[in-house]
Amino acid sequence: KRNRILYGSKSKGRVNGWPLLTELIDSSGNISIGKDVSGFLDFSIVGFPKTGTTTLLRHLSKVTDALPAEHCGLVTNNTATLLKDIYNDRARRLEKLKNGEEMKERLLGLKCPQDISSDWSMHNYAKYFPRTKLIIGVRHPVLWFESFYNFRVSNVPWKKMLHTSKLTKGCIGGSQGVCAWRANFHDFLSRLGKTPMTTSSERELLVLGLDPVLTPVGPVFLYELSQLTESDDGGIRSEQFRKDLGNFLELSTEIPPFPKLDTSGRFDSVPGIKRLTDESKIHICDTEHDDIREVLMEKAKMSSVWIREYFLHSDEVVISSRNHFIDIIERWMYDPCTKV
């Protein structure tokens, strides 16, 4: 039945205005030259890891047709694979329809937190999905690192994490993708091409030397992790955040309040494993982590300045509660382990 939906001449996909997949992918398994597939991806949660992207995906899935779980075909330059995933998800939804029930047209989206730091992903967004709206979460680099490190400890307990003093540069073997290099948030954001990058003052902040995309990518909605939880002003900012995100995506349905962020590990229900993983987790403010914290603070300060003085001045970058957001990013200038 699924093959009929994807490839058959009487497929429901065609009834709903979708071309046959074979019309879009050539015999070598690539997107056919000259074919426009940009309309198959309305939004994408592209980063950063450990900024509530899973919570955001699950929540938006209630009001959109976002793909479940992560789909990172663009990271490996497999745009055709991603397109097949989108078609397969469409087929699954069509199969669930009752007789006579029509498919509701809802936004198509995905989540891949690796996209923002991937060369191939940004190239493929620019080439194949230039109108896709990009949603990007950030958080203080010091707290981000602690969360990411402990996430690996909790969810991959059979692998021993390197000490933080060995993770001050690139992601070496045994790092499990956790390293200071990935905390260069501003460098990765700069590749989106939303700032001029014509002044020495801006270029001096960008330490990785990454080139921006050659052709434009879609607009950006930038948020900070704390904006996904209920605000301490009676929920006023939280309600505004959901409204602003909905307006950015042009949703016709209101986004309901976000649930409490779930930070539990995969094996937390197993007492023995949880005890061992808890013993291996780090407290980033402990003196043994001073080396990594010093490096992360350098990146935090540069990111804070670049985001506030350059990125937020782009007409294609949207934030919610501007003054509050800027206040949060300004706090990146200070070590969260130091009492001010």
Side-chain angles (χ1 to χ4, degrees):
K1 182 176 181 181
R2 174 164 292 181
N3 284 339
R4 290 203 308 275
I5 291 174
L6 295 183
Y7 303 109
S9 60
K10 296 183 179 180
S11 72
K12 291 184 180 179
R14 182 177 292 280
V15 171
N16 281 273
W18 285 34
L20 298 178
L21 192 55
T22 49
E23 296 174 8
L24 303 176
I25 299 177
D26 61 26
S27 57
S28 61
N30 299 312
I31 302 296
S32 299
I33 296 175
K35 292 296 183 180
D36 181 4
V37 298
S38 61
F40 291 101
L41 189 58
D42 298 302
F43 71 91
S44 184
I45 305 168
V46 298
F48 285 87
K50 304 315 297 171
T51 61
T53 57
T54 298
T55 295
L56 190 56
L57 173 73
R58 289 174 180 167
H59 207 55
L60 287 179
S61 294
K62 299 175 182 178
V63 293
T64 70
D65 283 347
L67 296 179
E70 290 185 8
H71 287 264
C72 294
L74 299 187
V75 172
T76 54
N77 197 28
N78 286 320
T79 304
T81 297
L82 174 60
L83 189 60
K84 290 176 184 178
D85 289 343
I86 293 172
Y87 263 70
N88 284 334
D89 184 71
R90 179 76 164 193
R92 178 181 61 83
R93 295 177 190 276
L94 286 165
E95 288 173 354
K96 289 184 176 181
L97 293 178
K98 299 176 182 178
N99 290 334
E101 187 179 2
E102 299 230 352
M103 185 80 174
K104 293 181 180 179
E105 293 301 326
R106 304 205 301 179
L107 295 182
L108 306 175
L110 63 80
K111 167 207 165 186
C112 178
Q114 297 102 289
D115 274 344
I116 189 63
S117 57
S118 163
D119 291 332
W120 275 122
S121 290
M122 290 302 106
H123 167 76
N124 285 317
Y125 276 111
K127 183 176 182 180
Y128 295 110
F129 304 106
R131 299 192 302 274
T132 297
K133 296 179 177 181
L134 307 178
I135 303 174
I136 303 174
V138 293
R139 68 192 297 186
H140 194 300
V142 171
L143 302 179
W144 166 85
F145 182 91
E146 179 184 52
S147 176
F148 202 7
Y149 188 102
N150 289 339
F151 173 80
R152 290 291 192 236
V153 169
S154 293
N155 289 276
V156 195
W158 54 90
K159 289 186 179 181
K160 183 176 177 59
M161 284 291 291
L162 297 175
H163 190 270
T164 59
S165 60
K166 297 182 179 180
L167 304 175
T168 58
K169 297 180 180 178
C171 293
I172 60 177
S175 67
Q176 298 189 57
V178 181
C179 62
W181 175 82
R182 295 188 73 176
N184 289 293
F185 296 157
H186 61 308
D187 278 282
F188 298 122
L189 291 172
S190 73
R191 278 203 296 202
L192 302 176
K194 304 303 183 185
T195 67
M197 295 180 67
T198 55
T199 63
S200 59
S201 57
E202 179 180 5
R203 291 195 298 269
E204 286 171 0
L205 292 168
L206 303 171
V207 297
L208 298 185
L210 303 177
D211 293 323
V213 289
L214 297 177
T215 55
V217 294
V220 174
F221 185 92
L222 185 68
Y223 72 91
E224 201 275 338
L225 175 65
S226 64
Q227 292 181 291
L228 297 185
T229 58
E230 282 299 297
S231 55
D232 56 9
D233 59 353
I236 295 175
R237 282 197 307 272
S238 301
E239 182 179 356
Q240 186 62 49
F241 175 83
R242 298 192 301 272
K243 185 179 296 184
D244 290 338
L245 178 58
N247 289 338
F248 174 77
L249 294 174
E250 299 180 86
L251 289 172
S252 58
T253 305
E254 289 187 5
I255 300 175
F258 287 95
K260 184 178 180 180
L261 293 175
D262 182 7
T263 59
S264 59
R266 209 184 337 172
F267 300 98
D268 280 4
S269 59
V270 184
I273 295 180
K274 187 177 188 312
R275 184 176 63 255
L276 291 174
T277 57
D278 283 348
E279 292 173 355
S280 299
K281 288 180 179 180
I282 64 170
H283 298 283
I284 198 67
C285 296
D286 291 348
T287 56
E288 67 172 298
H289 307 302
D290 283 352
D291 288 346
I292 187 70
R293 207 168 67 248
E294 181 180 355
V295 173
L296 292 170
M297 275 308 304
E298 290 178 4
K299 301 180 187 305
K301 291 175 182 179
M302 288 189 290
S303 290
S304 175
V305 172
W306 184 84
I307 289 173
R308 287 182 287 121
E309 295 188 3
Y310 297 98
F311 199 53
L312 296 187
H313 289 279
S314 171
D315 293 336
E316 293 197 336
V317 175
V318 177
I319 55 176
S320 180
S321 300
R322 187 176 188 86
N323 291 337
H324 176 67
F325 182 89
I326 291 175
D327 285 344
I328 296 174
I329 302 303
E330 281 181 341
R331 292 177 212 150
W332 292 14
M333 301 298 291
Y334 306 98
D335 187 340
C337 297
T338 302
K339 293 183 179 180
V340 180

